[in-house]
Each structure stands twice: as structure tokens, then as C-alpha cells.
Amino acid sequence: MSLEKARELVEGIEDLPTLPEVVIEITRLVENPDTTAEDVYRLVSTDLSLSATMLKLVNSAFYGMPKSVTSLEKAIRILGFATVRNIALAAFVFDAFMTGKGKFDYRGFWLHSIATAAACDIMAKRLRVKDIGEYFVYGLLHDLGMVVLMQYFPDGLTRIREQSMQAADVDVPKVEEKEMGCNHGELGAALAERWEFPASLVSVIGSHVSDEMAEGNKREVAIVRCAGNVAHALEIGSSLSFLIPYIGEEVWQAAGISPDQLGGVMDETLREMEHSKAFIDLLYR
Amino acid sequence: MRSVKIKELKSGLILARDVEDAAGNRLLTVGTTLSKGHMALLEGWRIAEVWVEDAVTAVAEAPAEPETPATKDAGEEALAEAKKRLAARFEGRERNAWMKALHEEAAKRLAAPRFWNPGENA
């Protein structure tokens, strides 16, 4: 099974960044029903870099705060524990993989991921889904597997790119599976499992390319795939595939978005990207 | 070898050098015989020109589409240009109402004068 191959590849990576203790502790706290906001605040405040990143993210357009939030404790109460945990995970991944080895367009990659996160967030709010706060990070980290390829398997990725460019209708996940034994979704899921990311995030990362892992997260995966296509169609950032990925009727319906809502989603996505230039500059300070 | 602008390319020409995008990622390798599909890819990736081998007979192409009337305004032209550029990326994909709407609505936004793309404005 190709997920097993993905796990094998990840296990073989020698210099994989380790999840910082503070992030591990935040995850443990969030899972404990007796945790208070004070507990989370005390922990987050011990990490200045994480605290600063969290405040910048809270004050970016993605979280739509009516006024500037300057107190970390207030930010934590407003965001909620699950979102705080997800921001900590995202901040870790950004720091670890903002730039890296090989001649790949990291900035273009992260721009596409941020645009997908924005579109996910907008769709989740429009559709009033449960756990709205999770969708931003689902979108942001959905292509974690691409980062694994760029950072740790640059020759394999170069061969995948070359084959993908030979014709306009190449099925990129199939090229990945032929080259690596797994697709980038499975690779990302294997890494997310290794870092003990929440199960829902692992499932979304693993299933956004194919539907095999989407058992309990069909709607989340559908929204991420649809949001990814919004980012592709608006040409924000870069992508391995020239063709816009085809998404069938059943996936759009599972997401719950109608065709006539797509224009509005695009307008809001562009507005969020415009307002979040400061956040994007943060990535490349 | 000679440099040829993308709009002047013809099928059958052979690349004399690798084609890379602005970030240095290799898109096509030297020796590739260009097809219509390759040309659509190059246009989609906004490559301005490529190096090709000399003395190659190009394959005959289908007649070019008729020109748009000179009186079309800039907005309609921009929209037509955006649709044409996206058409290659949506080829074979518009098999349901959502994918059609994605194409239509994206073309409108890409044609808008204030469309923001950090890759271009950086």
C-alpha cells in the first residue's frame, strides 16, 4: 500500500525537524478537558517567537478581529484552544520549511497554501460548518507532502516535474506514485503522523489528492480540495500541475458550495490576500 | 540556434536549450519537439521566448482565429485574454457546473485591473 511506502520514506529521513516541546505540550493541554485558558497562556508565553507569531496571525485578516488584539491571553480566549494548537503547528512548519534545499519556488508554494487557507476559511464561514477555526490550517498545511519532496527528495521531485511538463494532461499524482511509490498527500500524511498532528489534520493532508483516507472527514477534505482549486484558478502562487485539478460534482456537493457562490468566494479570497500582505511579508522577513 | 517569441512558435520546432521558469525550475528539456500542448504550457507559464534549433521544417498548423474588432474596449480584451490563458489550464475539466463557474469567475478576476498577484507585484 502506498501509505506504507510513504511512512517508510519519512522514517528514512535523518535530519527531520523535531516538534518543539512547547508545541507538544500545547497539544497535550488542548486534549485535556480540564485545561483552562490561563494554562495555555502560561505555556505559550514562554515561547517569545510563538507568542509573536500568534499575535500577528490573530491580527491578520484571516481572523477578522474588529480591533487590534495586543494581549496574548485575550488572543487565546478569542481563538479557542484548537485554533491555538493549529497556529502553533503551522508556525512550526513555516519556521522549519519556509525556504530550503534545491531550486524550488518555496515562496510560490507558500503563497498557494495561504490562498488555499484563505479560501477554506471563507467557505467554512459561508457554509457555517462545525469547527470553523480548523479550516484555515487545513488549507495551509494540505500540501505538506510537497514540502517533504522539495526538502528531502529534490531529485525525485525534479523528475516528477519534468514528466509533468511533457504534456498538458499528465496525471501528476500517478507520476508521483510511479516515481516515489506514493503521492504527495500520503507523504504529507506520513510526516503529520510522525509529528503526531491531530487525526483530522492527518486525514485532510492524506486525502486531498485521493479519497482513500477520507472516511470520517469527507466534508473537510472536500472543502480543502475546492479551496485549492480556487487558489489554482486565481493563479496565486505556483503549482506542479499545469492543468487545474478536476473536481467531480460529488466532491463540490460534499463541500456544500454551489457554482454561483464561487465568484463571491474568489472576491473574498483576493481581499484577504490583499489585507494579509503584512502576514505574507512576515514569512519572508 | 535562435530565440523565438512564444507567439511565433510553430509545432515541430526543437528546443535548443532547457526552458526554466522565473524561479529556475526546469519546465522543458533541450531536444523536446514542441507540440501545441507544449506551446499552451509555455504560454500558461508566461514564458516570453525560447531557444530552438535552426533549419527545422515546422508542421502545418490550423488557421489562426479571426482577430477581434479594433473597437473592443480594454475590459473586454482583458477578459478575452484571461479566458484564453485559462482555457488551456481548464482543458477537459469543464465537465460540471462548478468547474465551468470556476473558469468563468476566475477569468473575470484575472482580467480586473486591480487584480493582485504577489508573484508579479513583488
Side-chain angles (χ1 to χ4, degrees):
Chain A
M1 187 180 152
S2 48
L3 182 57
E4 283 308 313
K5 178 63 183 175
R7 287 176 180 137
E8 195 185 297
L9 288 172
V10 167
E11 280 307 308
I13 298 171
E14 288 180 351
D15 57 347
L16 200 59
T18 320
L19 212 55
E21 194 57 41
V22 65
V23 178
I24 296 172
E25 278 305 311
I26 287 171
T27 305
R28 279 199 202 120
L29 275 182
V30 166
E31 285 164 10
N32 182 346
D34 297 326
T35 294
T36 63
E38 173 81 17
D39 296 330
V40 176
Y41 161 70
R42 263 196 253 115
L43 178 61
V44 173
S45 61
T46 63
D47 187 314
L48 290 178
S49 171
L50 181 58
S51 302
T53 302
M54 208 159 284
L55 279 169
K56 280 182 181 163
L57 279 167
V58 158
N59 286 301
S60 73
F62 296 121
Y63 290 97
M65 297 296 159
K67 287 192 286 194
S68 180
V69 176
T70 53
S71 150
L72 180 63
E73 193 169 359
K74 187 173 181 186
I76 289 167
R77 286 181 200 280
I78 291 169
L79 291 170
F81 296 166
T83 303
V84 166
R85 176 205 57 208
N86 289 341
I87 289 173
L89 293 175
F92 159 65
V93 174
F94 272 144
D95 276 345
F97 297 126
M98 205 183 302
T99 57
K101 306 166 193 169
K103 286 173 75 178
F104 300 114
D105 183 9
Y106 278 82
R107 188 171 189 274
F109 166 78
W110 282 116
L111 282 169
H112 170 75
S113 297
I114 292 166
T116 303
C120 264
D121 184 56
I122 287 155
M123 282 186 190
K125 284 171 181 162
R126 274 180 175 244
L127 299 167
R128 298 188 186 174
V129 299
K130 201 171 145 235
D131 300 324
I132 280 176
E134 310 277 303
Y135 284 79
F136 177 78
V137 175
Y138 288 160
L140 199 62
L141 299 182
H142 76 287
D143 263 347
L144 186 62
M146 288 305 304
V147 173
V148 176
L149 286 172
M150 290 194 285
Q151 191 79 347
Y152 300 108
F153 302 99
D155 294 338
L157 180 57
T158 299
R159 288 192 291 272
I160 289 166
R161 277 194 80 93
E162 285 180 359
Q163 288 172 61
S164 300
M165 293 297 163
Q166 292 309 310
D169 58 353
V170 168
D171 185 333
V172 175
K174 283 205 162 39
V175 173
E176 291 171 352
E177 282 159 17
K178 190 176 158 210
E179 183 61 40
M180 306 295 302
C182 58
N183 63 50
H184 72 271
E186 289 156 336
L187 211 45
L191 179 56
E193 274 180 350
R194 168 104 175 241
W195 280 336
E196 296 180 40
F197 280 12
S200 59
L201 185 52
V202 172
S203 178
V204 165
I205 291 169
S207 305
H208 81 278
V209 173
S210 73
D211 292 327
E212 282 185 23
M213 289 168 66
E215 281 308 314
N217 296 90
K218 270 196 160 58
R219 192 171 197 191
E220 289 90 328
V221 172
I223 288 174
V224 169
R225 288 176 72 181
C226 297
N229 258 24
V230 166
H232 278 304
L234 288 174
E235 299 186 332
I236 301 176
S238 62
S239 164
L240 196 57
S241 170
F242 173 69
L243 283 180
I244 304 290
Y246 173 70
I247 293 180
E249 202 169 300
E250 63 287 352
V251 178
W252 292 104
Q253 284 171 344
I257 196 108
S258 64
D260 57 15
Q261 288 179 297
L262 286 173
V265 168
M266 287 185 186
D267 288 335
E268 287 183 58
T269 300
L270 288 170
R271 269 199 294 276
E272 282 204 7
M273 294 299 287
E274 183 66 40
H275 292 146
S276 298
K277 274 184 185 172
F279 167 46
I280 290 162
D281 288 342
L282 160 75
L283 301 182
Y284 293 93
R285 61 189 180 282
Chain B
M1 70 175 89
R2 59 196 166 96
S3 170
V4 179
K5 291 194 191 326
I6 294 305
K7 289 193 184 325
E8 292 163 13
L9 282 177
K10 295 189 192 320
S11 299
L13 291 172
I14 297 173
L15 286 179
R17 288 184 185 170
D18 289 345
V19 179
E20 293 181 353
D21 64 15
N25 301 303
R26 184 164 46 179
L27 303 176
L28 293 175
T29 47
V30 56
T32 300
T33 302
L34 292 174
S35 65
K36 276 202 159 66
H38 289 130
M39 291 189 282
L41 275 167
L42 291 169
E43 210 169 317
W45 284 104
R46 301 185 199 182
I47 304 298
E49 54 187 21
V50 298
W51 288 88
V52 298
E53 300 289 356
D54 289 318
V56 173
T57 305
V59 170
E61 289 184 353
E65 288 184 21
E67 287 182 359
T68 55
T71 50
K72 270 196 185 286
D73 67 32
E76 282 187 30
E77 278 182 17
L79 181 58
E81 181 58 41
K83 276 188 175 170
K84 187 183 162 199
R85 192 172 80 236
L86 277 182
R89 300 193 67 198
F90 273 90
E91 192 174 320
R93 270 37 189 166
E94 291 178 88
R95 308 202 295 264
N96 59 54
W98 287 267
M99 293 301 291
K100 285 179 189 154
L102 199 66
H103 183 183
E104 279 285 328
E105 299 300 330
K108 287 177 197 168
R109 274 85 195 163
L110 290 171
R114 289 189 185 174
F115 174 74
W116 177 75
N117 184 339
E120 290 184 334
N121 295 339

